[in-house]
DNA sequence: AAACGCTACCATACGGTGTATGGTTTCGTC
DNA sequence: GACGAAACCATACACCGTATGGTAGCGTTT
């Protein structure tokens, strides 16, 4: 029966490593939001004291970096052979799905110092576009555009006061209560609320696809023009 | 000589109000980033004790909300008559300019409970699109798409390790040092770094316009189709 | 003139945070 | 059985947001 070092009581099981600490931090954030990830709570969850964490990790920043890389590692990585448009679509939708699973990651997304999963993801994406004949500048354009949109949309979506189903219903009363006031000060906003957003079938999440397809159409058009120009 | 109440020493000048507290908080954030806005530092800047702030404000959240609304109030509000595409372009560029001036606002952008400036801004934008004949669903599509892109781009830009000029130069050495390693693990990324990003003329900020024009083109096309379909 | 109440401010304290400093225990190896 | 590294710990500091319960100065009322 092999056993790790330092197993005094019957408490500890797995050894504490940076990897496990980050994994547990992700679980904490999933359960209680990013503000429930503190060095003390994390240490408690690992059955060690706060300062013992610093043996495995240089500081909290490193844990946050690790958490973001875990999130990226859950995303679908485009495979080399796939047609570029399909790959980009899958990538965007996978990103959105993963961020929906880990909403706290949206605010962490602004962080520098990417991890290996993040870099691998970028590398694979560039590879697919290059294989499809995209010029390097166009790869830059396309990725900046797509990533900005996907990340921005996730942030907008997180901002809205939605219930779990993505429906706006839960706050309808609040909005209607303010409606009289809004109609005077912000007539266009009030009209949009009543005739669009508060309509039964409306869900903000559905806006995602419109923008995504529009962007992919635009990129496809530019790509085709470049290819034709090169052939001529 | 009119003087406010409670002017014991010759210290205080302007009276403390929520509005002034928020204004000073913005100055603090501009000077030292969002983490240098604490109730204690803010109170010190206003020459009162921390707890006195709570007479003017329910809590820190309210100050952050106010700060974001100040940022929105600095943005160019589209005027009713303007052609929609021009208005959207100005709006996007103004947003980007203001967020560049207050980088801390990007991370605050995810915050609920918009202020009057924010709502007024939205209202004016909807008004311009409606006046241009956009259907309400298309207004929703267009604004979701544009706002997601602009906000996401600002976030991406803030993530990058850029110096003040927007140039990547400052970190070139770091990248080159890791280049050998990257070439093996992430060949596409390495190639992109060398042949695009590290090239003398390249600045990530220039990517903004490509995406913006592409999006506006796409929206214009959809709009034209809808108008034609309605005419037929 | 005296009492009252309101506005604006303050002192103290609590429970939380990240982490610097400097031990202490346990283990494999010699 | 001594030794050094690996893993963990205790204490403490400077900060944070804010709950609780005051207090000084003012205008108005009686």
């Amino acid at each position: 029966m092999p056993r790790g070092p330092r197993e005094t009581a019957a408490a500890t099981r797995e050894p504490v490593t940076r990897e496990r600490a980050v994994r547990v931090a992700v679980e904490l954030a999933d359960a209680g939001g990013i503000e429930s990830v503190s060095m003390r709570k994390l240490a408690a969850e690992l059955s060690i004291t706060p300062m013992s964490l610093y043996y495995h990790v240089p500081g909290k920043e490193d844990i946050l970096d690790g958490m973001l890389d875990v999130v990226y590692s859950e995303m679908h990585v485009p495979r080399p052979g796939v047609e570029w448009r399909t790959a980009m679509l899958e990538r965007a939708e996978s990103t959105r799905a993963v961020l929906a699973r880990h909403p706290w990651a949206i605010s962490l997304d602004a962080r520098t110092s990417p991890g290996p999963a993040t870099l691998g993801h970028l590398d694979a994406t560039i590879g697919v576009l290059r294989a499809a004949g995209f010029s390097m500048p166009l790869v830059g354009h396309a990725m900046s555009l797509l990533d900005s949109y996907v990340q921005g949309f996730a942030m907008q979506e997180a901002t809205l006061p939605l219930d779990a189903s993505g429906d706006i219903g839960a706050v309808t009363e609040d909005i209607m209560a303010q409606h009289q006031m809004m109609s005077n000060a912000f007539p266009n906003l009030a009209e949009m609320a009543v005739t669009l957003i508060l309509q039964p079938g409306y869900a903000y999440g559905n806006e995602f696809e419109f923008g995504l397809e529009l962007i992919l159409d635009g990129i496809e058009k530019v790509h085709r023009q470049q290819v034709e120009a090169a052939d001529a």
Side-chain angles (χ1 to χ4, degrees), chain A:
Chain A
M1 171 185 173
R3 38 144 72 198
R6 200 82 219 296
E7 189 164 350
T8 50
T12 58
R13 291 277 171 278
E14 296 179 65
V16 175
T17 60
R18 187 199 117 112
E19 192 191 330
R20 187 161 100 90
V22 167
R23 220 175 53 231
V24 170
V26 168
E27 285 167 19
L28 278 177
D30 284 344
I34 192 67
E35 73 275 11
S36 66
V37 176
S38 79
M39 297 303 265
R40 289 170 153 87
K41 288 177 191 159
L42 179 54
E45 203 71 17
L46 294 165
S47 306
I48 58 178
T49 61
M51 286 319 291
S52 298
L53 265 176
Y54 287 80
Y55 178 81
H56 304 281
V57 136
K60 193 185 184 181
E61 291 289 298
D62 186 61
I63 291 201
L64 296 177
D65 285 339
M67 290 172 72
L68 191 56
D69 209 52
V70 164
V71 169
Y72 268 91
S73 77
E74 291 182 11
M75 290 179 191
H76 174 79
V77 176
R79 273 154 315 176
V82 188
E83 200 264 328
W84 74 265
R85 182 159 176 151
T86 310
M88 293 305 112
L89 197 78
E90 283 178 359
R91 187 170 107 95
E93 272 161 1
S94 169
T95 302
R96 199 162 104 79
V98 171
L99 288 182
R101 203 153 62 233
H102 308 294
W104 45 267
I106 297 170
S107 55
L108 282 188
D109 231 334
R111 127 181 326 274
T112 329
S113 67
T118 310
L119 293 173
H121 194 88
L122 282 174
D123 192 74
T125 307
I126 298 169
V128 167
L129 293 177
R130 289 295 279 167
F134 278 56
S135 70
M136 204 47 113
L138 188 55
V139 171
H141 293 334
M143 290 186 62
S144 166
L145 174 46
L146 279 166
D147 286 2
S148 293
Y149 175 65
V150 172
Q151 187 172 333
F153 190 91
M155 218 164 156
Q156 300 270 23
E157 202 174 10
T159 301
L160 275 78
L162 305 171
D163 56 27
S165 74
D167 204 83
I168 198 92
V171 285
T172 305
E173 296 80 24
D174 294 357
I175 294 177
M176 292 310 289
Q178 300 177 348
H179 185 254
Q180 190 63 38
M181 194 202 78
M182 268 185 45
S183 297
N184 297 330
F186 311 111
N188 296 308
L189 210 49
E191 190 198 348
M192 184 162 169
V194 170
T195 70
L196 183 70
I197 297 169
L198 297 180
Q199 289 299 308
Y202 187 85
Y204 182 72
N206 295 340
E207 300 284 3
F208 186 64
E209 203 173 348
F210 174 88
L212 188 54
E213 294 288 347
L214 188 150
I215 287 171
L216 290 173
D217 284 348
I219 292 172
E220 187 169 352
K221 188 176 158 193
V222 174
H223 177 45
R224 220 175 21 237
Q225 285 171 353
Q226 285 199 0
V227 170
E228 286 165 8
D231 286 352

